[in-house]
Amino acid sequence: MSAVEKAKAKTEQAAGKAEKEVGRTVGNERLEADGAVRESKGNLRDAKEKGKDALKD
């Protein structure tokens, strides 16, 4: 996995998780949902890169 793409995935996952937790803490369902979506995008990006790496080997 390229280091840049891995970093993007981890950053997106962390930002989404933080956003989701802030939304949950303040009781803002939309913020919580947006955070969950962002975290999922990071998870998908990570899975895509892992799949690409598996095909290279």
Side-chain angles (χ1 to χ4, degrees), residues 7-52:
K8 285 181 184 178
K10 294 298 179 188
T11 301
E12 200 161 28
Q13 288 170 333
K17 188 169 188 164
E19 187 176 9
K20 185 172 69 171
E21 290 302 318
V22 168
R24 184 176 295 146
T25 301
V26 298
N28 185 330
E29 291 179 7
R30 183 180 177 118
L31 186 61
E32 186 178 346
D34 288 345
V37 168
R38 192 170 187 184
E39 185 178 11
S40 294
K41 283 182 182 180
N43 291 338
L44 289 173
R45 183 187 302 258
D46 189 41
K48 177 187 82 170
E49 291 303 318
K50 285 181 181 178
K52 285 170 47 177

